[in-house]
């Protein structure tokens, strides 16, 4: 049996064992190993699907699959945590935006610059996506701390519905532009070193099998991340770090398949694919998560705190200012990657030492 067929099934089996058995040293080691192979498998099957359907549909499939499962995870934590989970959606979305816009983009630009000196991408598509991300992030995470109709860093029900509708509309328009009206803005140049571009595309049966295995792998990634969260919490307590660190670590694990896929594309001199994954994933994290979370919060009367702290506002503003400058020309080098990675390091350090 092909290892990329076997790996997702093994990861799912380990997840099932973890749900049925108490966590011990052996199961902990097996869960970490299963998490790694699930991430690798998810990237492989996403690339098979991308080769079948072409860009930018391939990157959209991976971004949507990860985001839908992420939404389910956030919603389950909200329903289980009650008032204690009021900040879970905010922490998840904020961490995802910072990880993608600084960590993923930074390492792609750095590795791509080291290997290819300079790389190009279409600013028409990436620029519009970044602009939409700035608007959505500001409405969702900054404005709640500045409005006065609700106490604290919260929105009223009508404000929540407005922000949810605006986020969903912007995401749908971006997907329409990406896949229909201006698809050419998101098409990568064919890389000479990317041999998969010249390989024959898989048949429909193989693509459907890869789609099913992709879902199994992604469910395993998220499930194993949740399974490992108590161990992560114990580790965080041993380090005497803030509880927000747990959400950041889980976000890093959940975003691992997209991160690895984006890195592989950048090393193959297909930076446009990396940008499609990064910007598309960040937009989907807000455009899909917020409407579902808002509807649940309004319908079930769950507490919801979306506004970030002044420290996080400053880092968010720095991220978007730097992104507008470094990605504003459509031509990148390793210096831009280093800049984003320093901002990412600041985000991680200030999460541990607020």
């Amino acid at each position: 049996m092909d290892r990329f067929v076997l790996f997702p099934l093994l990861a799912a089996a380990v997840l099932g064992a973890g749900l049925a058995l108490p966590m011990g040293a052996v199961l902990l080691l097996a869960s970490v190993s299963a998490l790694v192979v699930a991430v690798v498998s998810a990237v492989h099957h996403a690339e098979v699907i991308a080769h079948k359907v072409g860009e930018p549909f391939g990157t959209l499939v991976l971004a949507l699959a990860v985001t839908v499962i992420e939404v389910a995870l956030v919603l389950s934590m909200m329903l289980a945590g009650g008032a204690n989970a009021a900040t879970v959606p905010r922490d998840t979305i904020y961490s995802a935006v910072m990880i993608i816009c600084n960590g993923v983009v930074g390492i792609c630009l750095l590795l791509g610059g080291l290997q290819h000196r300079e790389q190009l991408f279409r600013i028409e598509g990436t620029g519009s996506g970044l602009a939409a991300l700035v608007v959505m992030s500001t409405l969702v995470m900054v404005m709640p701390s500045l409005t006065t109709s609700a106490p604290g860093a919260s929105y009223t029900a009508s404000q929540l519905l407005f922000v949810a509708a605006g986020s969903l509309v912007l995401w749908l328009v971006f997907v329409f532009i990406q896949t229909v009206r201006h698809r050419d803005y998101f098409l990568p140049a064919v890389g000479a070193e990317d041999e998969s571009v010249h390989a024959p595309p898989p048949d429909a049966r193989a693509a459907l099998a890869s789609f099913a295995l992709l879902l199994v792998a992604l469910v395993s990634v998220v499930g194993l991340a949740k399974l490992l969260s108590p161990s992560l919490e114990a580790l965080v307590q041993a380090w005497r770090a803030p509880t927000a660190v747990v959400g950041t670590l889980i976000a890093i694990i959940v975003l691992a398949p997209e991160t690895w896929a984006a890195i592989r594309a950048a090393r193959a001199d297909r930076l446009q694919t990396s940008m499609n994954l990064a910007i598309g994933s960040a937009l989907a994290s807000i455009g899909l998560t917020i409407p579902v979370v808002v509807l649940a919060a309004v319908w079930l009367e769950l507490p919801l705190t979306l506004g970030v702290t002044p420290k996080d506002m400053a880092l968010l503003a720095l991220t978007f200012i730097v992104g507008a400058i470094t990605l504003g020309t459509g031509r990148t080098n390793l210096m831009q990657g280093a800049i984003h990675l320093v901002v990412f390091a600041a985000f991680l350090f200030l999460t541990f030492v607020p």
Side-chain angles (χ1 to χ4, degrees):
M1 182 182 293
D2 187 285
R3 66 182 187 278
F4 290 115
V5 175
L6 184 62
F7 283 170
L9 301 179
L10 286 176
V14 172
L15 175 60
L19 294 174
L21 302 174
M23 180 65 73
V26 175
L27 187 55
L28 179 63
L29 180 60
S31 298
V32 173
S33 302
L35 183 63
V36 173
V37 299
V39 168
V40 174
S41 301
V43 173
H44 168 79
H45 291 297
E47 290 179 342
V48 172
I49 296 169
H51 196 43
K52 174 64 177 178
V53 301
E55 287 294 339
F57 296 101
T59 54
L60 185 62
V61 167
L62 180 58
L64 280 177
V66 170
T67 304
V68 168
I69 296 173
E70 180 185 347
V71 169
L73 179 61
V74 169
L75 198 58
S76 67
M77 294 175 69
M78 284 183 64
L79 294 174
N84 296 327
T87 61
V88 167
R90 178 199 67 187
D91 294 339
T92 302
I93 292 171
Y94 172 70
S95 295
V97 171
M98 296 300 291
I99 291 167
I100 292 169
C101 292
N102 291 311
V104 177
V105 170
I107 197 168
C108 287
L109 298 187
L110 183 67
L111 294 180
L114 286 172
Q115 189 161 348
H116 304 287
R117 297 181 66 86
E118 286 189 344
Q119 291 182 293
L120 304 176
F121 64 92
R122 293 290 299 269
I123 186 60
E124 296 92 340
T126 303
S128 60
L130 183 61
L133 181 60
V134 172
V135 173
M136 292 163 68
S137 299
T138 302
L139 290 176
V140 171
M141 293 183 284
V142 176
M143 293 307 297
S145 299
L146 304 177
T147 55
T148 58
S149 297
S154 303
Y155 273 141
T156 63
S158 60
Q159 289 171 330
L160 281 174
L161 292 173
F162 172 80
V163 169
S167 299
L168 182 61
V169 166
L170 278 179
W171 180 75
L172 290 174
V173 171
F174 177 78
V175 171
F176 175 72
I177 293 296
Q178 185 182 35
T179 58
V180 180
R181 180 59 61 88
H182 296 291
R183 184 184 171 192
D184 55 307
Y185 289 173
F186 302 88
L187 295 179
V190 177
E193 299 182 21
D194 186 19
E195 296 179 0
S196 66
V197 173
H198 307 288
D203 56 29
R205 182 178 178 182
L208 287 174
S210 284
F211 181 73
L213 290 168
L214 171 64
L215 293 181
V216 172
L218 291 176
V219 169
S220 299
V221 168
V222 176
L224 289 167
K226 192 171 183 180
L227 191 65
L228 291 170
S229 61
S231 300
L232 291 174
E233 290 175 1
L235 186 62
V236 168
Q237 290 177 358
W239 290 345
R240 297 182 180 179
T243 55
V245 172
V246 176
T248 301
L249 293 176
I250 293 177
I252 291 174
I253 295 172
V254 171
L255 291 170
E258 291 168 297
T259 302
W260 186 241
I263 291 172
R264 283 171 58 90
R267 295 189 64 187
D269 204 16
R270 292 186 291 116
L271 187 63
Q272 182 65 60
T273 298
S274 301
M275 293 295 104
N276 290 349
L277 272 168
I279 301 299
S281 297
L283 287 172
S285 289
I286 300 178
L288 289 179
T289 303
I290 287 300
V292 174
V293 165
V294 164
L295 287 177
V298 172
W299 183 29
L300 302 176
E301 297 184 352
L302 298 173
L304 184 60
T305 302
L306 291 178
V308 295
T309 63
K311 168 182 68 72
D312 294 336
M313 285 186 200
L315 281 175
L316 200 61
L318 177 63
T319 294
F320 291 138
I321 292 171
V322 168
I325 295 172
T326 59
L327 303 179
T329 63
R331 182 185 298 270
T332 66
N333 56 58
L334 62 89
M335 179 64 188
Q336 288 141 305
I339 293 170
H340 281 276
L341 287 177
V342 167
V343 178
F344 180 60
F347 157 70
L348 290 179
F349 177 76
L350 293 174
T351 300
F352 280 90
V353 188

